[in-house]
């Protein structure tokens, strides 16, 4: 939250909240006399330095009345929001934790209420409780209950079906205790964000009811009532209506921006682990493209606790080097690569002693120059290019964006460069293809188009996250050839992620083997036959060759193989000989 508040938007919201709070607390005390003092001689005076918003028909200062009205407008808004959120949470949680039959009844009741327009419900309730300030607060508050009940019910249902909630029930936890202890804490972030956004709508609704005469009544007044009075003389003195309108709009925008800030705030994505011993013993390779030391990545579990998925990874990639990361699904390959590229979202907690790309500290917030450098010198090729490309934009528009934004190229120059990049990755008829949408490309062509997208800058690192998955061998060869051509043209280093150790061994200079979030072995490709770790030897043994006995089942990797025990070594040796098959566990 501190990081978000340091942004221009955060500073503006903080200053706005301070102004609103001060006006709410001290407005009637400071401006109360000016708001009530009558000056018939200056009635309906135009805006001036003495009266910035002018005066009303009784000569009262409209700016002072607008400031004084802040207290009633804000308090009524907060009261209505409290009613909507409080009762909506209760109804939504009840709908999520009740038995199935009762849950369906409560959900059906919420759906019936949601079938009516929200403002219509507010008008209906305002007639029941009367045209008063309290009646308007109750009306708008009760009208908002179905909205939050549906939101909370949807969020709570996803949490209520988790294993830890079922375990709590099996242990005898009552529905109320389960809701308070296990459900509500896990739905608070989106609930808080929607509450801030709803406050903006509630404020506008209060102003509308008061403007229509169904809200605050004389002698009290809020912004809506002032707007009603000012509209009657808008042709004589426009500021009489514009002044309260400005207060309504700015406060509503402030609540909306607050909701955006709350949605952006979260745990810091990157945390630097500092140690005096580390700084004295570790040296940084100034020539390295990527320099990572003790990288750890954690994610929040269902119970809110941190679960570490990558454990102390050290990785260095030199200029022009091709490094392959291999391992089974869930071994941490993609998470490690995404952390190197700085693409992990706020849900991830990244810790490292050193995390650098071309001298840029990826643990810190990048400057404008760093963002430009990263945009031009880093290229990411995702596993599924169809879901990674915008389906509504042409291939050419997506290729030219990097050059236009980061390099400042003109549209014509960027288009020319895009045609050259498509030709480099061997896409036929680039002048025609550049005008097509991603779904008009085949799988292999989309993958090559993503490589071309990375070549629009001056890449120093290309991260290819399983670029040949689900492609036939012919297309795989085309994609790898395109990567090799890109490396030859730009001299970029390549970080290739794959399950296929045979593919990596034929394309890379060095192999990094990962398992369970750790690097178990690193070795040059020509030294694969000297692999010492049982897991590495197991990966090699699983690749068939021309001499493999087709009458026997292929060996698989046994999870039970120990890294250090002789039993694990012998099991891997048997697997390498083609005579062992062990059971695969999750």
């Amino acid at each position: 939250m501190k990081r978000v508040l340091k942004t221009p938007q955060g500073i503006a919201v903080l200053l706005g909240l301070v102004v609103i709070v001060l006006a709410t607390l001290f407005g009637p005390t400071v401006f109360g006399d000016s708001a009530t003092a009558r000056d018939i001689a200056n009635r309906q005076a135009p805006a001036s330095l003495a009266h910035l918003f002018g005066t009303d028909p009784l000569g009262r200062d409209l700016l002072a009345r607008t400031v004084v009205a802040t207290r009633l407008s804000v308090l009524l808004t907060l009261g209505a929001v409290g009613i909507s959120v409080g009762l909506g949470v209760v109804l939504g949680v009840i709908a999520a934790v009740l038995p199935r039959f009762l849950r369906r009844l409560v959900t059906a009741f919420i759906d019936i209420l949601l079938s009516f327009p929200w403002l219509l419900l507010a008008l209906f309730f305002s007639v029941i409780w009367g045209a008063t300030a309290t009646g308007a607060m109750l009306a708008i508050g009760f009208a908002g209950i179905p909205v939050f009940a549906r939101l909370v019910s949807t969020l709570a249902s996803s949490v209520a079906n988790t294993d830890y909630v079922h375990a709590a029930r099996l242990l005898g936890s009552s529905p109320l205790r389960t809701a308070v202890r296990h459900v509500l804490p896990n739905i608070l972030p989106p609930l808080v964000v929607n509450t801030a956004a709803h406050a903006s709508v509630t404020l506008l609704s209060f102003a509308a009811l008061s403007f229509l005469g169904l809200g605050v009544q004389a002698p009290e007044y809020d912004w809506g009532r002032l707007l009603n009075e000012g509209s009657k003389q808008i042709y004589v003195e426009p500021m009489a209506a514009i002044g309260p309108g400005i207060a309504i709009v700015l406060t509503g925008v402030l609540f909306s921006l607050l909701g955006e800030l709350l949605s952006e705030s979260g745990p810091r994505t990157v945390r630097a682990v500092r140690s005096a011993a580390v700084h004295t013993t570790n040296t940084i390779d100034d020539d390295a493209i990527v320099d990572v030391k003790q990288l750890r990545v954690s994610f929040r579990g269902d119970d809110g606790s941190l679960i570490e998925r990558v454990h102390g990874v050290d990785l260095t990639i030199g200029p022009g080097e091709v490094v392959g990361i291999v391992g089974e699904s869930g071994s941490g390959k993609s998470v490690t690569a995404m952390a190197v590229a700085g693409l992990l979202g706020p849900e991830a907690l990244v810790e490292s002693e050193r995390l650098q790309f071309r001298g840029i500290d990826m643990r810190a917030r990048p400057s404008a120059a760093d963002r430009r450098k990263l945009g031009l010198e880093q290229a990411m090729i995702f596993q599924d290019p169809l879901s990674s490309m915008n389906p509504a934009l042409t291939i050419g528009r997506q290729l030219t964006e990097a050059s236009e934004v980061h390099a400042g190229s003109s549209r014509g120059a960027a288009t020319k460069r895009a045609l050259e990049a498509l030709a480099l990755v061997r896409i036929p008829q680039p002048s025609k293809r550049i005008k097509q949408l991603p779904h008009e490309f085949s799988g292999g062509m989309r993958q090559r188009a993503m490589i071309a997208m990375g070549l629009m800058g001056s890449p120093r690192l290309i991260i290819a996250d399983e670029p040949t998955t689900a492609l036939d061998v012919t297309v795989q060869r085309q994609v790898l050839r395109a990567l090799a051509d890109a490396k030859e043209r730009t001299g970029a280093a390549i970080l290739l992620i794959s399950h296929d150790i045979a593919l990596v061994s034929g394309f890379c200079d060095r192999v990094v083997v990962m398992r369970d979030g750790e690097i178990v072995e690193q070795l040059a490709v020509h030294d694969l036959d000297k692999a010492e770790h049982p897991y590495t030897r197991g990966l090699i043994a699983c690749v068939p060759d021309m001499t493999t006995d087709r009458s026997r089942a292929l060996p698989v990797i046994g999870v039970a193989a120990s890294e250090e025990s002789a039993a694990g070594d012998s099991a891997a040796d048997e697997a390498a000989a083609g005579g062992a098959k062990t059971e695969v566990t999750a």
Side-chain angles (χ1 to χ4, degrees):
M1 193 64 183
K2 293 180 180 179
R3 174 178 55 85
V4 173
L5 288 177
K6 292 180 180 179
T7 62
Q9 180 177 339
I11 295 173
V13 171
L14 183 61
L15 292 177
L17 287 176
V18 171
V19 172
I20 294 297
V21 171
L22 291 178
T24 302
L25 296 177
F26 305 108
T29 303
V30 177
F31 295 91
D33 294 339
S34 300
T36 57
R38 301 182 180 185
D39 186 2
I40 302 301
N42 289 322
R43 59 191 298 269
Q44 292 186 333
S48 63
L49 292 178
H51 306 284
L52 294 180
F53 289 176
T55 61
D56 66 359
L58 296 178
R60 295 171 295 192
D61 186 84
L62 287 175
L63 175 60
R65 290 175 67 80
T66 301
V67 175
V68 172
T70 303
R71 173 179 292 182
L72 187 58
S73 300
V74 171
L75 291 181
L76 289 177
T77 299
L78 295 180
V81 171
I83 293 173
S84 300
V85 176
L87 296 182
V89 167
V90 172
L91 191 60
V93 171
I94 288 176
V97 300
L98 283 176
R100 177 175 297 180
F101 177 73
L102 296 177
R103 181 167 66 247
R104 288 181 176 178
L105 290 179
V106 176
T107 303
F109 175 68
I110 295 174
D111 291 339
I112 292 173
L113 294 178
L114 284 174
S115 64
F116 296 96
W118 183 72
L119 187 57
L120 181 61
L121 282 178
L123 294 173
F124 172 75
F125 287 127
S126 66
V127 172
I128 295 177
W129 282 297
T132 63
T134 303
M137 181 182 69
L138 294 175
I140 296 177
F142 274 81
I145 290 176
V147 177
F148 278 93
R150 166 55 65 197
L151 172 67
V152 173
S153 175
T154 303
L155 295 174
S157 296
S158 61
V159 176
N161 293 323
T162 54
D163 292 337
Y164 63 88
V165 173
H166 292 316
R169 290 173 179 167
L170 291 174
L171 293 174
S173 177
S174 64
L176 178 62
R177 186 177 185 275
T178 301
V180 173
R181 187 174 180 84
H182 299 285
V183 176
L184 282 179
N186 290 285
I187 65 174
L188 276 181
L191 183 61
V192 171
V193 172
N194 280 273
T195 299
H198 186 72
S200 176
V201 179
T202 301
L203 176 67
L204 295 177
S205 301
F206 263 116
L209 287 182
S210 295
F211 183 84
L212 296 174
L214 298 176
V216 178
Q217 303 296 316
E220 296 180 322
Y221 55 92
D222 67 342
W223 288 332
R225 184 169 178 81
L226 291 178
L227 185 61
N228 176 282
E229 296 173 353
S231 64
K232 298 175 183 178
Q233 53 178 333
I234 189 170
Y235 295 108
V236 178
E237 176 46 51
M239 286 304 298
I242 295 176
I246 291 175
I248 295 171
V249 171
L250 290 183
T251 307
V253 171
L254 181 65
F255 285 142
S256 298
L257 292 178
L258 178 61
E260 292 184 10
L261 287 181
L262 292 175
S263 65
E264 294 175 3
S265 64
R268 179 171 291 189
T269 305
V270 179
R271 180 191 300 167
V273 180
R274 304 187 182 276
S275 169
V278 169
H279 289 295
T280 58
T281 59
N282 291 332
T283 58
I284 300 176
D285 187 354
D286 294 332
D287 296 329
I289 299 295
V290 173
D291 191 6
V292 178
K293 180 68 174 178
Q294 286 297 302
L295 173 66
R296 300 180 182 274
V297 182
S298 305
F299 295 91
R300 292 283 177 186
D302 292 335
D303 58 353
S305 62
L306 284 173
I307 302 176
E308 191 172 275
R309 298 300 187 186
V310 175
H311 319 292
V313 166
D314 296 341
L315 179 65
T316 302
I317 302 177
E321 187 179 16
V322 183
V323 178
I325 301 182
V326 295
E328 59 194 332
S329 296
S331 59
K333 307 184 301 297
S334 297
V335 173
T336 300
M338 297 287 277
V340 168
L343 296 179
L344 291 177
E347 69 277 359
L349 177 64
V350 181
E351 302 173 293
S352 66
E353 295 176 4
R354 188 166 63 249
L355 181 58
Q356 291 190 346
F357 168 78
R358 293 263 297 163
I360 299 175
D361 190 352
M362 303 299 289
R363 301 171 299 180
R365 188 181 184 87
S367 63
D370 290 341
R371 286 195 297 270
R372 180 177 179 274
K373 186 175 181 180
L374 291 171
L376 292 174
E377 297 188 358
Q378 264 191 3
M380 186 78 187
I381 303 170
F382 294 97
Q383 182 174 353
D384 183 9
L386 183 59
S387 61
S388 304
M389 290 182 171
N390 190 329
L393 297 180
T394 63
I395 293 293
R397 186 69 192 94
Q398 297 184 63
L399 261 66
T400 58
E401 185 177 13
S403 294
E404 293 179 17
V405 173
H406 296 295
S409 302
S410 64
R411 177 67 63 87
T415 302
K416 181 180 179 181
R417 187 174 180 86
L419 291 172
E420 294 174 353
L422 290 176
L424 178 65
V425 296
R426 309 191 184 205
I427 290 183
Q429 299 178 307
S431 59
K432 175 184 176 181
R433 296 292 187 179
I434 200 173
K435 302 175 183 178
Q436 294 181 332
L437 295 171
H439 74 270
E440 299 179 82
F441 277 40
S442 66
M445 290 175 64
R446 281 194 296 267
Q447 200 69 275
R448 283 178 279 162
M450 285 207 68
I451 298 174
M453 195 179 301
L455 300 179
M456 291 300 296
S458 50
R460 293 295 178 267
L461 174 66
I462 300 175
I463 300 176
D465 188 359
E466 302 187 31
T468 59
T469 300
L471 300 178
D472 58 65
V473 291
T474 302
V475 179
Q476 282 186 14
R477 183 180 179 183
Q478 294 174 354
V479 171
L480 292 178
R481 182 184 296 171
L483 279 173
D485 291 343
K487 174 183 178 298
E488 183 178 350
R489 178 196 174 205
T490 64
I494 296 179
L495 180 61
L496 177 67
I497 302 170
S498 178
H499 292 91
D500 190 349
I501 195 170
L503 182 147
V504 170
S505 64
F507 182 75
C508 300
D509 303 322
R510 179 160 53 94
V511 177
V512 177
V513 183
M514 290 193 68
R515 188 184 193 190
D516 296 333
E518 297 179 337
I519 294 179
V520 297
E521 193 165 13
Q522 296 190 51
L523 64 167
V525 168
H526 55 76
D527 290 332
L528 273 178
D529 57 340
K530 302 177 183 178
E532 299 180 356
H533 197 279
Y535 184 70
T536 307
R537 295 205 297 271
L539 287 175
I540 298 172
C542 292
V543 180
D545 55 28
M546 298 300 294
T547 62
T548 301
D549 186 356
R550 290 181 294 175
S551 64
R552 305 181 63 177
L554 286 172
V556 295
I557 301 170
V559 175
S562 171
E563 298 182 8
E564 300 174 357
S565 64
D569 291 338
S570 63
D573 291 337
E574 291 178 7
K581 180 179 179 181
T582 55
E583 181 182 357
V584 176
T585 41

